[in-house]
Structures are given as C-alpha cells and as structure tokens.
Amino acid sequence: MLSSKSLKNLQHSRPSVQGKIVVENLNVYFGKHHVLKNLSIAIPDRQVTAIIGPSGCGKTTFLRSLNRMIELVDGAKVTGKVFLDGLNIYSPKVDSSDIRRRVGMVFQKPNPLPMSIYDNVAFGPRIHGIRNKKVLDKLVEESLKAAGLWDEVKNRLKDPAVSLSGGQQQRLCIARALAVNPEVLLMDEPTASLDPISSAKIESLIRELKRKYTIIVVTHNLQQAMRIADYVVFLFMGELIEHGAADEIFTSPRNTKTIEYLRGAFS
Amino acid sequence: MSLKNRSTFFTDREGANPRSLRGKIDKLSSCFLAIASISSIFVVSTIAALLLYNFMKFCEQGFLPSILSDVWLPSKGEYGLLPFIAGTLWITAVAMTISLPLGFLTAIFMAEYIPRKMHSPIKSLIELLAGIPSVVYGMWGLMVLVPLVRDQLAPLIGGSLGKVFPLFRVNVNIGFSILAAGIVLSIMVLPIMISTSEEVMRAVPMEYREAALALGATRWQATKTVVLRLASPGIFAGIILSFCRAFGETMAVLMVAGNVITVPSSLFDPAYPLTALIANHLPEMISIPSYAYALLTAGFILFVVTFSFNVIARLVVRRLKRMGQ
C-alpha cells in the first residue's frame, strides 16, 4: 500500500503526458515581470517543433527554460516542472550542467569560441573529461560530418573558427553542440543572421538531424516554420495559445489569435 | 602607439567646411587635442632626458662600477646602489607575491560569481582603497603593521620556519622590515590589480560564456576555459601596471621599511628602497654634484625598469591577443 504522501510524490515526479520533453505549469518571472504564464505542453521525440509567435511573446525565454539557461539571467525565477524523459530538470538534485549536456543549444548569432575549428568542436568533449586524442579526432570528424561541414573544413581544422563564413560558423556551432552527444537540440532563430543560401543549408540540416535528435526551433519566419516543422507551438504574450501538428496549425488553426498571426495581422 | 592606420589631424582633410563656424571649431578642437598630447609627451621626454643626462655624468665621473657595490658613503665619493636596488626588489617581490593571488582571485569573484546586488558596494569599497593617500597607508603600516611584525609575526615565524629557511630568519627585530613594507604595498596595489583584471573579464562577451555553459560546462570551467583565456592579455597588463606602481611607490614604503643601508637577506630585515633613498637625501644633494648624479641615477634605474616593463607588457599583450584568436 502506498501512503497518500508517497502517492502524491509519485504523481508529482512523473509527467501525465508522453513526450521527450513535458512541460507542466511553467511560469517564468524576470523580477516582477511575468514572462511565461502557466505553460503546459508535451514536445514529441525526434521531430522538429517550431515555436512561433510575435516579438516579445516569450519564445526565447521558453526555449531557455528547457535547458535551464534561463537561470543565467539575473533575477529570473522559474516555477513549475520541465520533464526530460520523466526527470524534472528543475528538481534540486539535478545538476544543470548535466541537463545542458543532454539538451544542447544553438544561438541566434553564431558564437564560435575564439579558437580553432577543431578546438571549438572538441571543447564540449574536453570539458566532459575526454582527453584521448583519437577519441577526440573521431568525435570532431563525426560531429562536423553530421553538421555537413566536414568537407569544407577537413583540411583547415587548425584555422581559427572566425575565419569561416557566417553560415559555416553556425554549422560549426551545431557540430559543437552535437559533439557532446545531446538528445535534444534547442535552436534560437538559428538562421536569423544568415543569408538565404546559408539558411537553406541549415534548414535541410535540421530536417536531417531530426532522425536522431529532438529539435526545438524558435523562429520568426513563418515560411521557415512551414518548411521544417512537424509540430508547432504558438505563443502570445507569454501564454500558450495553440499547439499541435504543423499541418493542422497551418491549415486549420482554431484560435482567432493564431489565425490573425498566420494571416500576418501582427508579427 | 602606432599612428599608421589612423587618420591624424595633420592629414585629415575630411569634415566640415573649414570656413564655417562648425569647421573652425572642428579645427580648433583638433589643435587643442594635439597640443595636449604633445605637451604630455614633452614632459615625459624632459624627465627622461634629465635622468639620462645625470646618469651619463655619473658614468663620466667613473662611478658606474660602484653601482653594484654595497658601500654608500657620499662624503667619500662611494655611491654603491646595491643595498637600495636590493631593497626595492625585495619589497616589490613580497608585495607582488601577496597581491597577485589575492587580487586575481578577487577579480574572478567580482567578475563572474558575485551576486549583482553585492557588486557595487564592494566595488566602491575597493575603489575607496585606491583613493587613500599613500601617506595614510604609511601611517597605518607604522601604527599597526610594524608592531605586529615585531611582536607577533617575527617571533612566531622566525622561531619556526626561520630555523629552516634563511628567508624567514630574524636577524634584527625592529618591526620596520621588508615584510611590513611588502604588506603595505600589496594592499596599495590590490585595487589596481582587481579593477584592471575585473574590467577585462567583464569585457569578455556573454555569448562566449553561454557557448561554454550550453555545452554543460560548470561555471568554473566556463571561467577557466573561456573567460580567463580571453582576458589573459588584459590581466597580464594589469599585473605589470601593479608591478610598476609597487616598484615606484615612495612614501608608504619609506615610512615602514626601516631605511637601514644593508643588503637584506630575510623578510624581517629592514631595507632601504631606491625611492626612499631619493626622497630622504634630496636636501643634501644640492651642494655636491656627484651626489646629485648618484641620486638621479637611482631615479634613472627606476625609470628604465618601469619603462621596459611597460614595453614588455605591450609586446606580450599583443602576442597573447594574437594567440587568443
């Protein structure tokens, strides 16, 4: 027989819905400002989920609360639960660096570290204790291949990362994120600072990567969301307005806010 | 400073129409700016020239070989500067040994770890430390450190470590010592060390920290592998700056070092730094030319050392910056 208390604990430690990431009653405050309002949602495994919504609706905040990067913001407070494969990442026993290894992140502006291409990709494995040169070489090669950058850089791995073009830098950042073997990849407007050709490369890379990784992309570009997303989350003023399969949301949205947004009434 | 890649006011013909009021003001302001910078360069050159001239006179009179002797008898024409050079080096070394780790760790804490609310009160405290006149530090050293060294530290350390290491042996116990002077100096240079290092660490863009943290780096790993790596040229420059400050500090050191003309061999020995030599003997030197040459040679040594350290710092910073890319 379970006591009522342990039963309650059990309920609290397990998400009620299935999904790679399950968010329950997530609230985020910056000081007194209530940024995310009671979000509950399940993110499907190995699919591309696009988070859309007008500027300032909390897309980036939501993304950053999925790997606890939000905690780096001074004065940020998070309540509610985010489950990664059933583990509440905000539980006090959980180490944030552990979560961030499992949930990788790619930023809006490519941010290669000021070191060589090789060292950028090897950076993650090295901080997680991998020192063996052969293992590192293999990881670097695999990650760069997975990010579709290997052929372009294999002969210049020792060159500084900043010598790459913007699009290449962003793919390098993806390779760097893949090198620590994550399960989920968060991408915050990954093509916002890139030209159309580089953006197209990143988009096809995203479609490629979803076979192995759960991908969550914040995008300001509806056409991009339509091209890459399997699942769509629409946020407005910090609230979750609508979410569902991409086909449904884009062809027959239910909420009037979603309809207006998709029609381009505001952005 | 390289002017190669910059347009200077001499060649710059861009800007407002020179006949308009705006153009005239523009021209006038560039003139003033040029005069200001030229005059500071002029001052430095006259100082350098004065010191060099006296150093050459010193050499001309055949005193140069005696620089490294330890006999200082101006009345007999003996100008051995070794005790003073040794005193300065000892005290600076002690000051840097204390302030380097302390300042470096404090700077890391201030730049990367401190909660935002605590930052500005602590920062202003450290800045306050920088604003205290050196004579006040000297007083503090005299009233607090000298008795502390004499009554507590010397018996304690001399009685234990001093029996094994000559560095800690108590030869004379008057409290006025290299240790007291070194501690005072270390506190004086601490604010420089902290603020320069903190400043450059803070200047490391947040996106680099995020890159490391998002890969699962701990805060210390991100600090060590990204922030310190990128900030190292600036931190190094800050260390040199503090070194030069410690090297040239006069008043506080003069008050607690003891000013005994010997070549020190232990932390508890008194010392007589170069700066104190100049300050203390200034009134006597006027009448004897060779005396003046000797003191200004001491000044020349100080100048050359700080100047070359600045040059070295520049070269190293440039190299480190290139490596960081």
Side-chain angles (χ1 to χ4, degrees):
Chain A
M1 266 292 267
L2 286 164
S3 70
S4 66
K5 197 181 169 195
S6 61
L7 192 66
K8 206 174 159 196
N9 276 343
L10 203 65
Q11 282 169 340
H12 273 266
S13 60
R14 293 230 184 281
S16 40
V17 227
Q18 290 300 305
K20 180 71 185 174
I21 289 183
V22 177
V23 177
E24 276 182 17
N25 307 104
L26 179 72
N27 285 284
V28 177
Y29 306 82
F30 291 151
K32 279 178 188 158
H33 189 45
H34 195 172
V35 187
L36 285 186
K37 294 163 191 163
N38 218 29
L39 262 59
S40 295
I41 189 173
I43 309 276
D45 192 14
R46 291 174 209 221
Q47 291 193 18
V48 177
T49 300
I51 302 170
I52 59 170
S55 306
C57 68
K59 300 189 293 284
T60 297
T61 305
F62 178 60
L63 199 72
R64 285 179 172 242
S65 50
L66 299 182
N67 68 345
R68 292 180 59 174
M69 286 293 276
I70 197 72
E71 291 172 347
L72 302 178
V73 180
D74 240 323
K77 196 184 128 207
V78 180
T79 67
K81 297 193 180 78
V82 175
F83 295 95
L84 173 66
D85 278 340
L87 171 79
N88 180 11
I89 67 169
Y90 285 99
S91 142
K93 275 173 264 169
V94 173
D95 186 359
S96 63
S97 55
D98 209 30
I99 293 302
R100 290 178 197 148
R101 201 216 30 89
R102 293 176 62 190
V103 183
M105 191 163 207
V106 175
F107 298 85
Q108 184 169 350
K109 198 173 142 235
N111 60 348
L113 293 163
M115 40 181 89
S116 73
I117 296 169
Y118 182 96
D119 288 338
N120 260 281
V121 184
F123 185 89
R126 278 183 179 141
I127 58 174
H128 292 292
I130 298 177
R131 289 272 172 273
N132 187 314
K133 179 88 172 67
K134 275 185 189 153
V135 179
L136 282 175
D137 285 350
K138 192 159 161 274
L139 266 172
V140 169
E141 184 177 339
E142 280 171 3
S143 310
L144 284 169
K145 276 182 176 158
L149 194 61
W150 176 250
D151 289 331
E152 291 160 61
V153 300
K154 63 182 172 195
N155 295 322
R156 44 187 289 211
L157 291 172
K158 293 285 165 219
D159 284 7
V162 285
S163 67
L164 298 172
S165 74
Q168 288 175 323
Q169 287 188 16
Q170 194 62 301
R171 278 181 282 148
L172 177 68
C173 292
I174 294 173
R176 185 176 64 190
L178 297 179
V180 293
N181 199 18
E183 300 154 38
V184 181
L185 211 50
L186 308 177
M187 299 179 140
D188 189 358
E189 301 200 43
T191 62
S193 63
L194 303 181
D195 61 274
I197 295 170
S198 304
S199 302
K201 280 189 186 158
I202 301 272
E203 283 179 22
S204 66
L205 180 60
I206 291 173
R207 280 191 293 262
E208 192 70 28
L209 289 172
K210 74 173 178 186
R211 281 189 281 170
K212 249 185 107 182
Y213 308 94
T214 300
I215 296 175
I216 306 173
V217 185
V218 163
T219 179
H220 208 86
N221 180 336
L222 275 178
Q223 276 72 37
Q224 182 175 66
M226 288 176 194
R227 284 192 296 267
I228 60 174
D230 304 303
Y231 199 79
V232 173
V233 177
F234 176 56
L235 299 182
F236 183 75
M237 307 275 281
E239 283 177 61
L240 176 61
I241 304 296
E242 197 166 348
H243 64 102
D247 308 343
E248 281 175 39
I249 298 272
F250 287 129
T251 52
S252 50
R254 284 185 222 123
N255 192 290
T256 48
K257 276 270 178 288
T258 321
I259 296 169
E260 279 173 28
Y261 180 71
L262 292 177
R263 210 195 291 135
F266 54 87
S267 68
Chain B
M1 219 182 299
S2 141
L3 291 171
K4 231 186 288 170
N5 304 322
R6 295 180 204 166
S7 60
T8 65
F9 88 101
F10 293 110
T11 57
D12 193 0
R13 290 277 171 260
E14 300 296 311
N17 177 358
R19 265 163 295 177
S20 71
L21 179 63
R22 231 157 60 90
K24 277 175 190 155
I25 292 175
D26 188 45
K27 213 162 168 124
L28 206 63
S29 64
S30 48
C31 273
F32 274 120
L33 297 174
I35 289 168
S37 30
I38 289 170
S39 58
S40 63
I41 293 169
F42 178 74
V43 171
V44 175
S45 334
T46 51
I47 293 175
L50 171 82
L51 294 174
L52 186 65
Y53 173 78
N54 282 281
F55 173 65
M56 278 158 67
K57 280 279 176 196
F58 186 74
C59 298
E60 246 171 50
Q61 308 221 336
F63 294 125
L64 188 62
S66 71
I67 276 193
L68 289 178
S69 110
D70 58 357
V71 186
W72 175 262
L73 285 170
S75 54
K76 294 197 176 138
E78 298 264 10
Y79 298 110
L81 290 176
L82 183 67
F84 310 101
I85 296 172
T88 292
L89 290 179
W90 269 88
I91 293 171
T92 311
V94 171
M96 293 309 281
T97 311
I98 299 171
S99 62
L100 206 78
L102 213 59
F104 184 57
L105 296 177
T106 310
I108 294 177
F109 179 70
M110 294 285 292
E112 302 295 318
Y113 285 84
I114 201 168
R116 195 175 47 166
K117 277 181 195 157
M118 270 166 69
H119 183 263
S120 82
I122 293 190
K123 177 105 182 149
S124 10
L125 261 176
I126 292 171
E127 271 159 14
L128 191 74
L129 218 55
I132 298 175
S134 58
V135 70
V136 176
Y137 277 106
M139 296 281 282
W140 174 76
L142 200 64
M143 315 286 278
V144 179
L145 278 179
V146 168
L148 182 79
V149 169
R150 187 185 54 220
D151 303 333
Q152 309 289 332
L153 295 179
L156 186 75
I157 299 173
S160 51
L161 284 173
K163 289 190 174 135
V164 192
F165 304 104
L167 179 66
F168 299 106
R169 191 171 295 148
V170 181
N171 304 316
V172 267
N173 191 11
I174 50 172
F176 292 93
S177 56
I178 289 170
L179 185 62
I183 295 173
V184 172
L185 256 193
S186 72
I187 295 166
M188 292 178 72
V189 300
L190 210 48
I192 304 173
M193 192 97 81
I194 295 171
S195 34
T196 49
S197 309
E198 190 210 335
E199 224 60 53
V200 290
M201 284 186 222
R202 278 189 176 262
V204 172
M206 193 60 197
E207 61 199 56
Y208 292 145
R209 289 186 188 82
E210 284 186 332
L213 292 167
L215 289 166
T218 59
R219 190 131 67 141
W220 171 241
Q221 280 177 324
T223 303
K224 193 178 67 177
T225 54
V226 177
V227 179
L228 290 184
R229 195 190 144 109
L230 288 173
S232 61
I235 294 172
F236 181 77
I239 292 170
I240 296 294
L241 207 65
S242 333
F243 171 85
C244 291
R245 174 86 168 85
F247 201 76
E249 169 55 34
T250 310
M251 186 48 83
V253 176
L254 177 152
M255 290 166 77
V256 293
N259 303 338
V260 177
I261 306 171
T262 62
V263 178
S265 65
S266 146
L267 285 181
F268 298 103
D269 284 353
Y272 206 151
L274 281 167
T275 47
L277 169 76
I278 300 172
N280 281 341
H281 293 256
L282 216 52
E284 307 157 30
M285 78 173 205
I286 313 293
S287 47
I288 315 166
S290 60
Y291 205 153
Y293 300 152
L295 289 186
L296 284 157
T297 296
F300 182 70
I301 295 173
L302 288 171
F303 181 83
V304 168
V305 170
T306 43
F307 185 78
S308 32
F309 263 84
N310 268 307
V311 172
I312 293 169
R314 264 177 197 287
L315 294 177
V316 172
V317 166
R318 202 183 302 166
R319 211 192 147 77
L320 285 174
K321 267 192 186 152
R322 216 177 301 146
M323 271 164 49
Q325 301 236 315

